[in-house]
Amino acid sequence: MNTKTISRRDLLKGSGALIVSFSFFGTASQLLAQSTGLSDDGLDPTSLDSWIAVAQDGNITVFTGKVELGTGVVTALAQIVAEELDVPFNKVHMDMGDTAKTIDQGVTAASRTVERGGPQLRQASAAARQELLKLASGRLDAPVDKLTVTDGVVSVVDNPARKISYGNLLGGKRFNVKIVAAGVGWDMKVAPGIPAKNPKDYKIVGTSVPRIDLPEKFTGEFTFTQDVRVPGMLHGRVVRPTTTVSKPVSVDESSIRQIPDIVKVVKEGSFVGVVAKTEWAAIQAARTLKVTWSAPSKKLPAGPDEVFNYLRDTKSFKDTIPVNRGNLDAGFSQASKKFEANYHWPFQLHGMMAPSCAVADVQGDKATIWTGTQGPFRTRDAVAKLLSIPKGNVHLLYRESSGSYGRLEADDVAEDAALMSRAVGKPVRVQWMRENEHAWDPKGPSQYLTIRAGADAQGNLIAWDFMDRSFPWTAAEGNALLASNQTGLRATNPGFLNGASGGGQVYTIENQKVVAASIPWVQEDEWPLRTSNLRAPGDLARVFASECFLDEVASSLGMDPVQYRLRYITGDKRPAEVLLAAAKKSGWVERPSPTLSSGKQKATGRGVALANRANTMIAAVAEVEVDKATGQVAVQRITLAHDCGLIVNPDGLKNQIEGNIMQGVSRALLEEVLWDENGVKNLDWGSYPVVSYEQIPDVEIVLIDRPEMPALGGGEASIVPITAAIGNAIFDAVGARLRQVPYTPQRVLGALKA
Amino acid sequence: MAQISLHVNGKNRVVNTDPGTPLLYVLRDDLELHGPRFGCGLGQCGACTVLMDGNAVRSCILPVSAAQKRSITTLEGLGSVARPHPLQAAFIEEQAAQCGYCMNGMVMGAKALLDKNPHPTPAEIKHALNNYICRCGSHLRVIRAIQRASGSQPGKLITGAVSTSSSRG
Ligand code: FES
Ligand code: FES
């Protein structure tokens, strides 16, 4: 597999040499206009040529609107294609996220790419294989059912000497075949009627093919977005106000006169940025420029507590109710024991390792954008709207940035770069500084959760009333991004809802209701507390609340946490299997929590949590050591069992799981956005620490492979149970229940005293 | 503006720049090196790490003038995909990254460590890399890669057995 950009002409020539062409607008689009009829709406998904090309040398190029975000997903997609076409893996080249060359398959997000994008590419490949076999049938004078394919060479079953390669069949030419493509984005069904390979015959899918992008990332040869350089390029930096409606009352350009190489101070609406010939000049200028901002019309809430109160007291605009069974009132009236608790989840950052970065070249009514967006077409459309030009005039070329975990669905920086490039008429590279990123990262929102439960005299749960109150993602769904907001565009919808899974619906309880209430969140005066999807959005908090609460119930009834959970898993056996697999692997000893051996200053404990995220089942056992004098929690080991159906690449999946565990530990123990009326306070890594080497746990992973099932979303699901498992382990160790994240020493000490 | 002479990856280079410019921007923009990366500009994350006379330094906060007459090695100076340094080969072997953006820091930090302590224990590795951030959580693989490069058996940090589900038969 190769992820370099090549033009369609290069690949049809099949020179074998893959040319990195940062092709400017014009060349690529004209080429395509000739070959595939590019319109404003992009390529035609019902043309097989829009998806796959076969070169004379047998190299296969796949054009995909899905992008590699550092999770290995494009390696997995290439495996699926190679498998279906019966070609060697290294013959497959992935051309990703180029709006002039690929189909919009929806944003790359939620670890659902293999699940949704996988079948699209598999079916396109199956259609291509079918076509190639038809051609071979004519050339070899044998019926299709007498043909077989090995490594891209078609031969006759009884007479292997009669053979022809894909390259010789089609190399350099177009399929000129129509396929069915119905629906859009994630839901597009591509060539649905074409029979695909039986999974039991898989040779490439299911193996740990090494990731092709990794070697260059260890040598400096890889080109990240941050490394894109185009001729004549200038450097821009943004100067952001406290809220997006704050206007620059005065901009004192003389304040940066002493800095050499300044090209322009860009002012558009309330947007302010500086363009310079060198990066360092732009950085100094953005820091030094004196801007007086008008006072925002609405103040930021005074702090996290005010937001929790707002969440608690404000009427929901939309309730999502994934489960409503039995009769809660009746259930509670029969209960002999009742339980109730509130849980609090903080605002958290995506905290990309690489601050946002993009290069834009706006010339007249055309624009070329290089950026790391998770939604190439969404960002293209946003830039077109911002610049008031047709979307077909914007050519977006995806270049990988650092891991973004949801943050780059709202790719603000592409707009910043476009505005600055238009203002100076030259290509401009914009990179946010760390403080821009932490301040304006569209954050994972706070959640306030309340749960009530009732148990009968035998300790059976008979009532479960779960309520999550959270904010939608205001910086999502095509809502105006920062620069759009600053130049007068406004949000057009209340935001995408923060999900509803993880509220205990993995269990069946006689009388059970789960509600996810969406509380309206600020949009007009966009605050730095804008919101978006942060890895496994909403589920972390809901599973934290539901799984810790279930532990509270089990503990007060004197039940073992694993056994108690098993009582309520009915129907599908997969949740029970992951739960038991994690318990077994961790050496779980059945007993109720807390342990009674907690006399020492440093106490150890274990806790479990179970989750179902989009039908991927995950169970985690955490082992912790709690220092009762300092309140410090050390997570010693996480054992995690994971079932996402068919596994495409076991090592790639493990890599993702390990990473999600580390991020889970980080978010459980350390991460919380703090602010006051002036803005976000954690503007660097010192004030927003993330997990460090000396804080990481050991990890044990059990992968459950189900070849008979489709491949479901893998990786991200594994972050979901981590917070709850750690919280339950802390309780097991010291008998103190933490109902607010992160589990800081202060909160641990507070809970110990309570 | 001043003429600054640098010695980078074994070559003498002269750049014309403001002597206060952090070395990082000179390496990336003037010398077109991609190994050292901008992560924070504050000396907090390690993404910009280079070796200066064998020591790991954070090029985002080091004025280029302070790098004159010193020997600078960047990630590119270790090896390439075609001819990787054993440390880079170990990272590839262990598939020790997700997005890879932090990996410049991890590899250069590991290089500085192994040059002083060729056989570090996992605890020593963790200590040496404690101020290098990886947001993706590739820590365990990085530790294993360093152990592999040092010739010691990678520790049993992750066993990660693949079990076959009962439903598969
Ligand atoms: S970029 Fe230099 S330490 Fe972060
Ligand atoms: S691999 Fe992405 S930050 Fe380390």
Side-chain angles (χ1 to χ4, degrees):
Chain A
M1 193 196 90
N2 192 300
T3 54
K4 295 269 163 60
T5 302
I6 51 174
S7 74
R8 280 187 179 249
R9 191 164 44 202
D10 292 329
L11 67 95
L12 290 173
K13 273 195 316 221
S15 60
L18 297 174
I19 300 156
V20 186
S21 57
F22 291 123
S23 46
F24 282 92
F25 197 84
T27 358
S29 65
Q30 278 158 14
L31 194 66
L32 283 158
Q34 293 155 10
S35 61
T36 48
L38 177 71
S39 71
D40 256 20
D41 295 328
L43 299 178
D44 175 6
T46 68
S47 166
L48 184 52
D49 293 298
S50 297
W51 299 93
I52 289 177
V54 181
Q56 277 161 5
D57 57 9
N59 277 307
I60 307 290
T61 300
V62 179
F63 303 95
T64 177
K66 291 291 183 186
V67 295
E68 176 62 68
L69 299 171
T71 61
V73 81
V74 171
T75 299
L77 292 176
Q79 282 178 265
I80 291 170
V81 170
E83 182 72 68
E84 206 57 44
L85 279 169
D86 282 314
V87 297
F89 175 76
N90 61 12
K91 288 271 189 188
V92 177
H93 307 264
M94 303 295 284
D95 204 333
M96 302 176 288
D98 179 331
T99 57
K101 285 202 279 184
T102 65
I103 302 283
D104 184 1
Q105 294 172 266
V107 295
T108 300
S111 284
R112 307 284 295 277
T113 298
V114 167
E115 178 197 333
R116 300 301 191 99
Q120 293 170 344
L121 296 187
R122 182 191 67 219
Q123 289 307 113
S125 305
R129 188 180 193 275
Q130 195 177 67
E131 254 340 279
L132 288 159
L133 284 180
K134 262 193 231 162
L135 293 172
S137 167
R139 297 278 287 274
L140 299 174
D141 196 21
V144 166
D145 61 6
K146 286 278 175 295
L147 299 177
T148 176
V149 188
T150 312
D151 288 350
V153 176
V154 188
S155 60
V156 179
V157 173
D158 314 324
N159 186 358
R162 279 170 56 213
K163 59 182 183 187
I164 185 163
S165 71
Y166 283 172
N168 284 334
L169 279 170
L170 190 74
K173 294 194 293 292
R174 297 161 48 75
F175 283 101
N176 282 324
V177 164
K178 284 278 172 195
I179 54 173
V180 173
V184 293
W186 282 23
D187 297 324
M188 188 189 292
K189 294 270 177 290
V190 179
I194 310 274
K197 223 185 217 183
N198 187 331
K200 75 176 174 17
D201 299 327
Y202 280 171
K203 294 186 201 75
I204 301 171
V205 167
T207 64
S208 293
V209 172
R211 273 174 54 185
I212 194 68
D213 54 327
L214 287 189
E216 291 186 336
K217 289 177 172 175
F218 299 123
T219 63
E221 289 159 279
F222 190 83
T223 302
F224 285 97
T225 316
Q226 287 76 8
D227 303 318
V228 172
R229 299 287 184 272
V230 299
M233 188 183 87
L234 302 172
H235 293 273
R237 287 295 183 278
V238 291
V239 182
R240 294 269 188 237
T242 315
T243 76
T244 56
V245 291
S246 304
K247 298 208 169 28
V249 181
S250 71
V251 178
D252 176 8
E253 296 196 24
S254 70
S255 61
I256 54 169
R257 201 166 287 146
Q258 74 288 1
I259 300 169
D261 294 330
I262 302 299
V263 174
K264 189 173 177 128
V265 175
V266 179
K267 290 169 282 184
E268 301 253 1
S270 61
F271 176 89
V272 178
V274 193
V275 180
K277 286 190 195 134
T278 68
E279 228 178 328
W280 182 232
I283 293 168
Q284 288 174 290
R287 286 203 180 129
T288 315
L289 185 70
K290 272 208 194 109
V291 184
T292 314
W293 298 99
S294 68
S297 54
K298 276 193 227 156
K299 282 185 171 172
L300 273 160
D305 286 340
E306 195 169 303
V307 166
F308 286 125
N309 293 342
Y310 172 80
L311 275 169
R312 187 191 59 206
D313 300 337
T314 308
K315 197 170 159 356
S316 153
F317 69 88
K318 170 103 178 113
D319 284 350
T320 309
I321 306 175
V323 178
N324 191 2
R325 79 164 57 83
N327 181 327
L328 274 185
D329 289 341
F332 279 112
S333 68
Q334 288 157 26
S336 53
K337 265 195 144 180
K338 290 180 193 153
F339 308 86
E340 185 166 359
N342 304 324
Y343 288 80
H344 296 76
W345 190 270
F347 270 91
Q348 293 184 324
L349 293 181
H350 297 82
M352 294 191 295
M353 191 73 194
S356 295
C357 182
V359 178
D361 186 10
V362 181
Q363 300 292 339
D365 66 349
K366 293 209 164 52
T368 312
I369 311 284
W370 294 263
T371 187
T373 178
Q374 291 178 233
F377 290 86
R378 183 182 285 181
T379 300
R380 177 197 67 167
D381 295 355
V383 169
K385 197 164 176 192
L386 174 78
L387 301 178
S388 305
I389 59 178
K391 47 191 184 175
N393 283 17
V394 179
H395 183 193
L396 187 141
L397 296 106
Y398 175 77
R399 290 289 178 277
E400 206 177 315
S401 187
S402 71
S404 50
Y405 330 111
R407 193 263 173 267
L408 288 181
E409 271 189 54
D411 186 18
D412 299 292
V413 74
E415 290 198 345
D416 297 341
L419 272 190
M420 288 198 241
S421 172
R422 182 173 69 178
V424 297
K426 295 228 170 68
V428 177
R429 173 183 185 273
V430 179
Q431 183 168 278
W432 284 14
M433 301 305 286
R434 177 52 54 192
E435 65 265 27
N436 303 136
E437 191 61 46
H438 280 204
W440 287 97
D441 174 330
K443 297 160 182 63
S446 253
Q447 286 167 258
Y448 175 79
L449 310 106
T450 51
I451 323 179
R452 294 187 307 138
D456 66 15
Q458 289 76 46
N460 292 309
L461 264 186
I462 52 170
W464 178 268
D465 181 13
F466 182 97
M467 169 73 91
D468 164 34
R469 302 178 71 83
S470 65
F471 299 124
W473 316 334
T474 56
E477 284 296 276
N479 264 343
L481 302 179
L482 280 183
S484 283
N485 237 300
Q486 291 184 284
T487 51
L489 290 174
R490 286 286 170 260
T492 50
N493 65 64
F496 195 84
L497 306 188
N498 199 29
S501 53
Q505 49 275 53
V506 71
Y507 307 108
T508 306
I509 295 155
E510 207 178 312
N511 306 288
Q512 184 178 22
K513 189 171 184 187
V514 175
V515 180
S518 296
I519 309 301
W521 191 228
V522 62
Q523 304 214 42
E524 285 286 310
D525 298 28
E526 192 87 78
W527 288 326
L529 295 177
R530 57 210 284 264
T531 51
S532 79
N533 43 325
L534 168 58
R535 204 165 231 185
D539 280 18
L540 258 77
R542 285 185 291 268
V543 168
F544 154 63
S546 63
E547 284 293 281
C548 286
F549 187 68
L550 191 59
D551 238 59
E552 296 193 34
V553 174
S555 158
S556 77
L557 297 170
M559 310 274 186
D560 171 73
V562 170
Q563 291 305 320
Y564 197 59
R565 280 170 171 75
L566 288 172
R567 285 191 189 183
Y568 306 102
I569 300 174
T570 57
D572 187 2
K573 294 278 184 299
R574 292 169 61 228
E577 286 186 30
V578 286
L579 181 59
L580 289 169
K584 182 165 174 233
K585 186 79 185 174
S586 72
W588 186 269
V589 177
E590 265 182 48
R591 58 166 175 76
S593 287
T595 162
L596 297 174
S597 62
S598 49
K600 290 174 281 173
Q601 184 188 326
K602 289 193 175 182
T604 55
R606 84 324 189 224
V608 70
L610 170 69
N612 167 353
R613 175 165 170 77
N615 209 23
T616 290
M617 305 297 165
I618 334 94
V621 174
E623 290 157 76
V624 304
E625 182 183 81
V626 184
D627 186 324
K628 286 188 276 187
T630 64
Q632 280 291 345
V633 176
V635 182
Q636 297 170 316
R637 188 169 70 139
I638 300 279
T639 305
L640 188 135
H642 187 281
D643 168 2
C644 60
L646 168 82
I647 297 172
V648 175
N649 185 321
D651 187 62
L653 179 60
K654 270 199 261 174
N655 195 351
Q656 283 309 295
I657 293 172
E658 291 166 34
N660 275 278
I661 289 172
M662 297 312 157
Q663 225 174 66
V665 169
S666 189
R667 289 172 69 179
L669 295 189
L670 301 163
E671 298 187 29
E672 176 168 25
V673 176
L674 298 171
W675 66 90
D676 59 21
E677 291 185 5
N678 300 314
V680 171
K681 295 205 276 189
N682 337 53
L683 295 179
D684 66 0
W685 291 122
S687 50
Y688 192 88
V690 294
V691 73
S692 67
Y693 277 88
E694 294 191 311
Q695 293 168 314
I696 59 167
D698 283 359
V699 167
E700 302 268 4
I701 297 169
V702 184
L703 297 183
I704 297 177
D705 186 23
R706 296 188 188 275
E708 75 284 2
M709 281 182 65
L712 302 168
E716 155 174 299
S718 47
I719 198 172
V720 174
I722 303 299
T723 319
I726 294 172
N728 291 339
I730 295 171
F731 177 79
D732 187 55
V734 296
R737 178 56 64 181
L738 283 125
R739 299 192 188 89
Q740 184 160 359
V741 169
Y743 306 137
T744 58
Q746 218 181 350
R747 290 198 178 117
V748 173
L749 291 177
L752 276 168
K753 283 193 206 104
Chain B
M1 287 300 201
Q3 296 252 318
I4 309 265
S5 303
L6 294 171
H7 190 74
V8 180
N9 297 334
K11 290 199 191 84
N12 292 316
R13 310 290 296 260
V14 179
V15 293
N16 194 13
T17 188
D18 167 2
T21 308
L23 175 63
L24 175 67
Y25 304 109
V26 173
L27 294 173
R28 290 184 55 80
D29 296 335
D30 297 277
L31 304 185
E32 297 183 358
L33 292 164
H34 289 177
R37 325 202 63 83
F38 176 82
C40 65
L42 304 164
Q44 295 176 336
C45 74
C48 62
T49 302
V50 299
L51 300 183
M52 186 161 78
D53 295 339
N55 295 310
V57 298
R58 304 206 159 180
S59 66
C60 69
I61 49 170
L62 184 82
V64 63
S65 54
Q68 291 190 93
K69 302 200 180 75
R70 308 293 200 95
S71 170
I72 306 293
T73 307
T74 73
L75 187 61
E76 289 92 339
L78 297 191
S80 60
V81 172
R83 303 184 56 178
H85 183 279
L87 189 53
Q88 292 167 320
F91 272 75
I92 295 169
E93 201 62 39
E94 292 291 339
Q95 294 282 291
Q98 291 175 60
C99 77
Y101 197 86
C102 66
M103 283 299 150
N104 173 70
M106 302 308 166
V107 177
M108 299 313 278
K111 176 78 169 77
L113 167 68
L114 293 179
D115 286 348
K116 292 185 182 68
N117 177 2
H119 302 289
T121 62
E124 288 169 333
I125 295 171
K126 287 182 182 179
H127 188 69
L129 293 184
N130 206 40
N131 292 323
Y132 291 81
I133 293 175
C134 173
R135 184 54 164 157
C136 294
S138 301
H139 304 76
L140 291 171
R141 285 173 182 243
V142 169
I143 295 169
R144 285 198 310 221
I146 297 170
Q147 288 181 287
R148 175 185 281 269
S150 74
S152 59
Q153 201 59 31
K156 194 186 151 297
L157 282 159
I158 308 166
T159 54
V162 180
S163 89
T164 307
S165 77
S166 52
S167 64
R168 196 183 192 179

